[in-house]
Amino acid sequence: MDDRRKAWVPHPEHGFVLGEIVDISSDTITVQPFGSQHKQPIEACYDRVYPAEDDDNKDVDDNCALMYLNEATLLNNIRLRYGRDQIYTYVANILIAVNPYHKLSDCYSVDTIRKYKARSIGTLPPHAFAIADKAYRDMRCFKESQSIIVSGESGAGKTESTKYILRFLTENWGSHAGPIEERILQANPLLEAFGNAKTVRNNNSSRFGKFVEIHFSGKGIIEGGYISHYLLEKSRICVQNRDERNYHIFYQMCAGAPLRMREQLRLGSPDQFHYLNRGCTQYFSCAASERALVARQKSREYLRKGSLKDPVLDDTRDFGVTDKALMDLGFRDDERLNIYAVVAGVLHLGNISFVENEQSSKGGSLVSNTGENALSLTATIFGLERDELQEALTARVMQSKGGVKGTVIKVPLKVYEAANGRDALAKTIYSRLFDFIVSKINDCIPLKASANYIGVLDIAGFEYFPVNSFEQFCINYCNEKLQQFFNERILKDEQDLYEREGLGLRQVGYVDNQDCIDLIEAKAVGIFDLLDEESKLPRPDPLHFTASVHQKYSNHFRLSVPRKSKLRQHREITDEEGFLVRHFAGAVCYQTNQFIEKNNDALHSSLAMLLGESKNAFLRSLFAVANETKVMKGKLTFISIGNKFKTQLQSLMDKLRSTGTSFIRCIKPNLNMVDHRFEGEQILSQLQCSGMASVLDLMQQGYPSRTQFSELYDMYKRYMPPKLVRLDPRLFCKALFKALGLDENDFRFGNTRVFFRPGKFAEFDEIMKSDPENLAHLIQRVEKWLLQSRWKKAQYGALSVIKLRNKIRWRRQQLIIVQKNVRGHLARMKHRPKVLGIRKINTIKSQLGNCARIIAQLKSEKEASSKEVSDLERQIDATVRKIKTTNMTKDEIEKAYAVLLRAQDQQMAALSKRLDQQKIMEERERLKKIEEERERERERKLAEERRKKQEEEERKERAEMEVKRKEAEELARKQEEQDRKMAMVLQEQLAKEKAATEERQHQLEQERRDHELAMRLAQESGGVVEALDTSQLQRREKARSVLDAAAGKKYDLTKWKYAELRDTINTSCDMELLDACREEFHRRLKVYHEWKSKNKKAAAPAEQRAPQAVVEAAQQQQERPKLQRLQRPLDKARENVQHRFFRLPFVAQPDQNKEPHQAEKKKGWWYAHFDGQWIARQMEQYPDKPAVLLIAGKDDMQMCELSLEVTKLTCRRGAEILPREFEEEWRKCDGGVYVRPVNKSK
């Protein structure tokens, strides 16, 4: 089957597996995977099967360098490189980084940093350092700030990548900034300690987002920095999942704080604290750290299971790193102690428990006996009175509406209300502490002046858990916005630019998630605003909020009820308890019971005022803003976290849109976070969700690097001599590229910009280097090229003039020759009868010598005979003179000739009688020869008449063919006009059907992503996933079967194999079955060739099996709507003519093995023999190589698969030829005799 072509086919475990194509149908391809573990062939639709590289083990730095650009080759390339510990791969200028989960030797050393400085992308292996260097050079070149967006799932390595980028920038351009460089780097471990935590998917997961700005001076030296942070996950402070931990700082203090500090702050093992013991209480430790831990620092879980292992984390060691970072960043000793005290105070605050107050008639709660000690410790650490803290935790102060100031009312709190207030206080304290640390870091990195900056965005990746709450909702909303920004910047804006610049590239489709974003953030009707409205009610209810969301978006595709989740665990959630949102990465089910509580960032007034009056100056400074919170008419001012985050995110997006952007897509190779395990299916899902499939499609034809003509011209202008300044910017750019020797296939000129192909960043960077030496050097090369170009033009002009002069002289000589020949021809035509007549008469005169010889032999009447001969000779001479001197006609000359000939014959006859018998025999022999000559002349004339008759018949046949062609052309024109009129009527209906089809495809793709996400979640949680419904995926096949039945087809051949169809065509005698098989056979060929064309090699021309004119006619035929063609009356004349022959000029594509400047297109002739509607023989003739002969049934894959009606050959002037002409050419090329199938002869 197509020479056992290799292809990638989808696989539920590995993503794609390699195999060979064994069968094709109209809608699917059957592939037999290689290897003994795959015994059964896999059948998949055309859209999910991709051709494979010739070399299975070939890996490249940039995926754009692959011959086939598709999801399968991308995944395979990443797999091969990951197996060699090459975790970085490019897709044009986008970096894919796979988390190795182990240390890579010498990958991030100082020498490596120096090696990547000022090096273009593509000159060294892929690396995060290369992206950082590109951002720096773009900032310097374009005078524009840059952003590097590091995205990916939790555990994909975003935080580590961010640290490496910051280290690269500060190491190369921060050494002159003194302590600024160290402070920027020291900010990372400090932020990780207070903002990172262990989750089920990542040991060092960032539970907040940050945008780190590195500001540079006009000279490119680091001047300072600034950190913006977003959405700290405050709920983690109070509760974690069983296998997760709280923020690292809590465990660092328990494990690594000095003994005196632990005793002073009363710190023990993690399981002694309520805010830690419900999650994982193990430490991250190495062997040395384990030996340093004492028994009272170890939790029961730690003693039972041992420590957690991670190549980066060590709680005991990391406390020292955190403390050093605080000192390096300028925190005073008292500030550091206060920070540790606040952290310890949060832990002790969580140990305060409550019981019902049975003695009070108003109900309420009291601090339990077990919580008394924690209450005292918390009050001491926070600088509060014990009783005041207890009263603030168990009662809430409200103000009535009466009077000017109203009456202060103290409302007792129930046990769960007191616990919620305690947790809210802990979250607020820790959140404000985190804000203080970030603010202090920014103060320690002074920013006096800034020309531009490079920002690195590290924010929590897309999250999905068995239980998803408000934090996951906000994080996933943020990722929706970032994915939309990626789509806009890489796909939408890129293609709009190509269109404006007139590059004429094919549009690449992608999934627009704007509807999901509107669902969340739309003004007044979005989920965020609906949540805020519910929170403002006197008694907000999560059930009422969820019901209002479902009611508002009952028919929205992106929102559904939990029972439609693919995970069985989520289907147990009622409609009032949650909702399901179909995100770009898959469907996530959110439980809304805590949405209202988590969305309110305000504290009870009693707690806020209490902390604002604390004796602890440090804590009081954290709550300086709290005193401004107003308590009015019994209500507390509502502060919406969702609205605040939405505003922050919009500000971030505006900042990103105002900068140049680079992307790093981090990939998580497996769910268990172990090294050297590559789980293909879940990696493929990450690549698809990140939009890399669409990027591959765009990069196959795109130009990722570009610059304006004017910018490039202005950059070089001040170094140009006056004679170059006069050049037009576009002309200067052309001269510059020619001077550099760039291949014209590597760049493209637009209307205002020049664009570079992927993989040509080195050439682009060489042009865009703005250092004076490089610019001056390039100007010299431009001058040299212009001088050489002008000298070559002068040489060419001189040679052209010389050539023209020689040509004129040659033409003059040839004209003389032509004139001479024409004049001679006219003279010959005029005197031809006389010349021929004289020549024939001279022939008679020459024969008189024979008479003289005969007379010499005569013995009697010799003188009389001589006198008669002399008289005849004088008569001949007189006739010749008469012909020369008079205007005798041809007939008169013929008559004179006849008279002389008759006289000569008579004389010769008379003389002959006197010869002996021997002379008589010789004369008879001569007459016999003359008769034979006349017979040959007669036969020649008969042959000439037959040839003229045959030419006349062929002329009449060609005339009939031309008449038929005109009739077919007129019929086609009328039909096209009719179709055009009907198309105008059906255009709206077709547009609706197309939109419905696209929407259905998007929904099916969303269903697939939802299923993949549910499968990954089920692997982690042990849940059960509902099987994917493939009935809709088979809809295309069923629909085609229905159409075939409606068309009255007798045979259903959709289940037949390709080989069975071909064998039936070659052997069957059943006319109906044969026609059905041929139609189905060529339909499959057509779909298969479309698949090959769609997945052709990068930068390779489309495979040609017919002249371009035939292909274009077929495409136009396909673009026209199918307006009930089955009901069109058949052309009987065309139906009766079974065999038709055609010839067209054919231009083959250049040889791909040659260099572009060496390859040239081959011109020749394309011959086709159609047996009915389908091609039977095909021939391609070239002047410089053997002809290519193809026969149906053997060479179908290389032959034209289009029907005669679709090709429009019958309407093309001069295309049809006679059978004799085709057969002559076929035999010249050693073609065999064509044998009709058995059924065709009947």
Side-chain angles (χ1 to χ4, degrees), residues 831-846:
H831 299 287
R832 183 177 180 82
K834 292 183 179 182
V835 172
L836 294 177
I838 294 172
R839 188 178 298 169
K840 290 192 289 184
I841 293 172
N842 287 336
T843 302
I844 296 174
K845 186 177 180 179
S846 64

PDB file of all heavy atoms in Angstrom, residues 831-846:
ATOM      1  N   HIS A 831      10.066  30.589 -64.937  1.00  0.00           N
ATOM      2  CA  HIS A 831      10.702  29.944 -66.108  1.00  0.00           C
ATOM      3  C   HIS A 831      10.730  28.432 -65.999  1.00  0.00           C
ATOM      4  O   HIS A 831      11.361  27.770 -66.837  1.00  0.00           O
ATOM      5  CB  HIS A 831      12.139  30.475 -66.272  1.00  0.00           C
ATOM      6  CG  HIS A 831      12.203  31.965 -66.505  1.00  0.00           C
ATOM      7  ND1 HIS A 831      11.826  32.551 -67.700  1.00  0.00           N
ATOM      8  CD2 HIS A 831      12.602  32.975 -65.686  1.00  0.00           C
ATOM      9  CE1 HIS A 831      11.986  33.860 -67.612  1.00  0.00           C
ATOM     10  NE2 HIS A 831      12.458  34.146 -66.395  1.00  0.00           N
ATOM     11  N   ARG A 832      10.086  27.897 -64.971  1.00  0.00           N
ATOM     12  CA  ARG A 832      10.133  26.444 -64.780  1.00  0.00           C
ATOM     13  C   ARG A 832       9.578  25.672 -65.978  1.00  0.00           C
ATOM     14  O   ARG A 832      10.195  24.709 -66.450  1.00  0.00           O
ATOM     15  CB  ARG A 832       9.384  26.063 -63.497  1.00  0.00           C
ATOM     16  CG  ARG A 832       9.456  24.572 -63.189  1.00  0.00           C
ATOM     17  CD  ARG A 832       8.746  24.295 -61.864  1.00  0.00           C
ATOM     18  NE  ARG A 832       8.788  22.883 -61.543  1.00  0.00           N
ATOM     19  CZ  ARG A 832       9.810  22.257 -60.973  1.00  0.00           C
ATOM     20  NH1 ARG A 832      10.906  22.935 -60.719  1.00  0.00           N
ATOM     21  NH2 ARG A 832       9.754  20.988 -60.725  1.00  0.00           N
ATOM     22  N   PRO A 833       8.393  26.091 -66.570  1.00  0.00           N
ATOM     23  CA  PRO A 833       7.880  25.320 -67.729  1.00  0.00           C
ATOM     24  C   PRO A 833       8.862  25.335 -68.896  1.00  0.00           C
ATOM     25  O   PRO A 833       9.062  24.297 -69.568  1.00  0.00           O
ATOM     26  CB  PRO A 833       6.576  26.041 -68.062  1.00  0.00           C
ATOM     27  CG  PRO A 833       6.163  26.699 -66.794  1.00  0.00           C
ATOM     28  CD  PRO A 833       7.430  27.117 -66.141  1.00  0.00           C
ATOM     29  N   LYS A 834       9.492  26.535 -69.190  1.00  0.00           N
ATOM     30  CA  LYS A 834      10.435  26.611 -70.309  1.00  0.00           C
ATOM     31  C   LYS A 834      11.651  25.745 -70.041  1.00  0.00           C
ATOM     32  O   LYS A 834      12.127  25.011 -70.922  1.00  0.00           O
ATOM     33  CB  LYS A 834      10.866  28.048 -70.535  1.00  0.00           C
ATOM     34  CG  LYS A 834       9.744  28.955 -71.054  1.00  0.00           C
ATOM     35  CD  LYS A 834      10.280  30.354 -71.321  1.00  0.00           C
ATOM     36  CE  LYS A 834       9.177  31.272 -71.857  1.00  0.00           C
ATOM     37  NZ  LYS A 834       9.679  32.622 -72.180  1.00  0.00           N
ATOM     38  N   VAL A 835      12.166  25.847 -68.818  1.00  0.00           N
ATOM     39  CA  VAL A 835      13.361  25.072 -68.479  1.00  0.00           C
ATOM     40  C   VAL A 835      13.077  23.591 -68.597  1.00  0.00           C
ATOM     41  O   VAL A 835      13.866  22.813 -69.163  1.00  0.00           O
ATOM     42  CB  VAL A 835      13.834  25.441 -67.063  1.00  0.00           C
ATOM     43  CG1 VAL A 835      14.965  24.503 -66.634  1.00  0.00           C
ATOM     44  CG2 VAL A 835      14.292  26.887 -67.005  1.00  0.00           C
ATOM     45  N   LEU A 836      11.922  23.188 -68.044  1.00  0.00           N
ATOM     46  CA  LEU A 836      11.577  21.770 -68.131  1.00  0.00           C
ATOM     47  C   LEU A 836      11.374  21.345 -69.590  1.00  0.00           C
ATOM     48  O   LEU A 836      11.779  20.252 -70.004  1.00  0.00           O
ATOM     49  CB  LEU A 836      10.316  21.485 -67.302  1.00  0.00           C
ATOM     50  CG  LEU A 836      10.457  21.667 -65.785  1.00  0.00           C
ATOM     51  CD1 LEU A 836       9.119  21.419 -65.084  1.00  0.00           C
ATOM     52  CD2 LEU A 836      11.513  20.714 -65.236  1.00  0.00           C
ATOM     53  N   GLY A 837      10.702  22.274 -70.349  1.00  0.00           N
ATOM     54  CA  GLY A 837      10.484  21.949 -71.772  1.00  0.00           C
ATOM     55  C   GLY A 837      11.788  21.820 -72.542  1.00  0.00           C
ATOM     56  O   GLY A 837      11.990  20.863 -73.301  1.00  0.00           O
ATOM     57  N   ILE A 838      12.681  22.794 -72.347  1.00  0.00           N
ATOM     58  CA  ILE A 838      13.991  22.740 -73.025  1.00  0.00           C
ATOM     59  C   ILE A 838      14.763  21.527 -72.565  1.00  0.00           C
ATOM     60  O   ILE A 838      15.442  20.863 -73.377  1.00  0.00           O
ATOM     61  CB  ILE A 838      14.768  24.044 -72.755  1.00  0.00           C
ATOM     62  CG1 ILE A 838      14.060  25.236 -73.412  1.00  0.00           C
ATOM     63  CG2 ILE A 838      16.202  23.934 -73.223  1.00  0.00           C
ATOM     64  CD1 ILE A 838      14.646  26.578 -73.054  1.00  0.00           C
ATOM     65  N   ARG A 839      14.641  21.224 -71.261  1.00  0.00           N
ATOM     66  CA  ARG A 839      15.374  20.060 -70.762  1.00  0.00           C
ATOM     67  C   ARG A 839      14.882  18.784 -71.436  1.00  0.00           C
ATOM     68  O   ARG A 839      15.679  17.915 -71.822  1.00  0.00           O
ATOM     69  CB  ARG A 839      15.202  19.982 -69.238  1.00  0.00           C
ATOM     70  CG  ARG A 839      16.064  18.926 -68.578  1.00  0.00           C
ATOM     71  CD  ARG A 839      15.866  18.951 -67.088  1.00  0.00           C
ATOM     72  NE  ARG A 839      16.282  20.241 -66.552  1.00  0.00           N
ATOM     73  CZ  ARG A 839      16.029  20.638 -65.302  1.00  0.00           C
ATOM     74  NH1 ARG A 839      15.335  19.844 -64.495  1.00  0.00           N
ATOM     75  NH2 ARG A 839      16.450  21.815 -64.888  1.00  0.00           N
ATOM     76  N   LYS A 840      13.552  18.682 -71.594  1.00  0.00           N
ATOM     77  CA  LYS A 840      13.029  17.487 -72.239  1.00  0.00           C
ATOM     78  C   LYS A 840      13.379  17.457 -73.735  1.00  0.00           C
ATOM     79  O   LYS A 840      13.700  16.397 -74.289  1.00  0.00           O
ATOM     80  CB  LYS A 840      11.501  17.438 -72.041  1.00  0.00           C
ATOM     81  CG  LYS A 840      11.095  17.142 -70.593  1.00  0.00           C
ATOM     82  CD  LYS A 840       9.636  16.811 -70.458  1.00  0.00           C
ATOM     83  CE  LYS A 840       8.796  18.040 -70.679  1.00  0.00           C
ATOM     84  NZ  LYS A 840       7.344  17.757 -70.447  1.00  0.00           N
ATOM     85  N   ILE A 841      13.305  18.634 -74.398  1.00  0.00           N
ATOM     86  CA  ILE A 841      13.666  18.675 -75.820  1.00  0.00           C
ATOM     87  C   ILE A 841      15.139  18.354 -76.005  1.00  0.00           C
ATOM     88  O   ILE A 841      15.529  17.660 -76.963  1.00  0.00           O
ATOM     89  CB  ILE A 841      13.299  20.056 -76.416  1.00  0.00           C
ATOM     90  CG1 ILE A 841      11.769  20.223 -76.430  1.00  0.00           C
ATOM     91  CG2 ILE A 841      13.858  20.227 -77.812  1.00  0.00           C
ATOM     92  CD1 ILE A 841      11.301  21.601 -76.822  1.00  0.00           C
ATOM     93  N   ASN A 842      15.972  18.884 -75.095  1.00  0.00           N
ATOM     94  CA  ASN A 842      17.400  18.556 -75.168  1.00  0.00           C
ATOM     95  C   ASN A 842      17.619  17.063 -74.977  1.00  0.00           C
ATOM     96  O   ASN A 842      18.596  16.486 -75.483  1.00  0.00           O
ATOM     97  CB  ASN A 842      18.174  19.354 -74.126  1.00  0.00           C
ATOM     98  CG  ASN A 842      18.297  20.824 -74.524  1.00  0.00           C
ATOM     99  OD1 ASN A 842      18.214  21.173 -75.718  1.00  0.00           O
ATOM    100  ND2 ASN A 842      18.507  21.689 -73.551  1.00  0.00           N
ATOM    101  N   THR A 843      16.731  16.498 -74.200  1.00  0.00           N
ATOM    102  CA  THR A 843      16.819  15.042 -74.049  1.00  0.00           C
ATOM    103  C   THR A 843      16.601  14.351 -75.401  1.00  0.00           C
ATOM    104  O   THR A 843      17.304  13.377 -75.753  1.00  0.00           O
ATOM    105  CB  THR A 843      15.775  14.561 -73.030  1.00  0.00           C
ATOM    106  OG1 THR A 843      15.993  15.223 -71.797  1.00  0.00           O
ATOM    107  CG2 THR A 843      15.877  13.058 -72.803  1.00  0.00           C
ATOM    108  N   ILE A 844      15.595  14.872 -76.170  1.00  0.00           N
ATOM    109  CA  ILE A 844      15.351  14.309 -77.508  1.00  0.00           C
ATOM    110  C   ILE A 844      16.577  14.513 -78.402  1.00  0.00           C
ATOM    111  O   ILE A 844      16.994  13.609 -79.147  1.00  0.00           O
ATOM    112  CB  ILE A 844      14.102  14.975 -78.133  1.00  0.00           C
ATOM    113  CG1 ILE A 844      12.857  14.634 -77.294  1.00  0.00           C
ATOM    114  CG2 ILE A 844      13.909  14.510 -79.575  1.00  0.00           C
ATOM    115  CD1 ILE A 844      11.613  15.349 -77.744  1.00  0.00           C
ATOM    116  N   LYS A 845      17.169  15.747 -78.288  1.00  0.00           N
ATOM    117  CA  LYS A 845      18.339  16.040 -79.119  1.00  0.00           C
ATOM    118  C   LYS A 845      19.497  15.135 -78.767  1.00  0.00           C
ATOM    119  O   LYS A 845      20.262  14.697 -79.638  1.00  0.00           O
ATOM    120  CB  LYS A 845      18.714  17.506 -78.924  1.00  0.00           C
ATOM    121  CG  LYS A 845      19.843  17.958 -79.865  1.00  0.00           C
ATOM    122  CD  LYS A 845      20.128  19.429 -79.673  1.00  0.00           C
ATOM    123  CE  LYS A 845      21.249  19.885 -80.617  1.00  0.00           C
ATOM    124  NZ  LYS A 845      21.540  21.332 -80.459  1.00  0.00           N
ATOM    125  N   SER A 846      19.615  14.882 -77.448  1.00  0.00           N
ATOM    126  CA  SER A 846      20.716  14.010 -77.037  1.00  0.00           C
ATOM    127  C   SER A 846      20.517  12.602 -77.553  1.00  0.00           C
ATOM    128  O   SER A 846      21.499  11.859 -77.743  1.00  0.00           O
ATOM    129  CB  SER A 846      20.834  14.001 -75.509  1.00  0.00           C
ATOM    130  OG  SER A 846      19.664  13.451 -74.955  1.00  0.00           O
TER     131      SER A 846
END
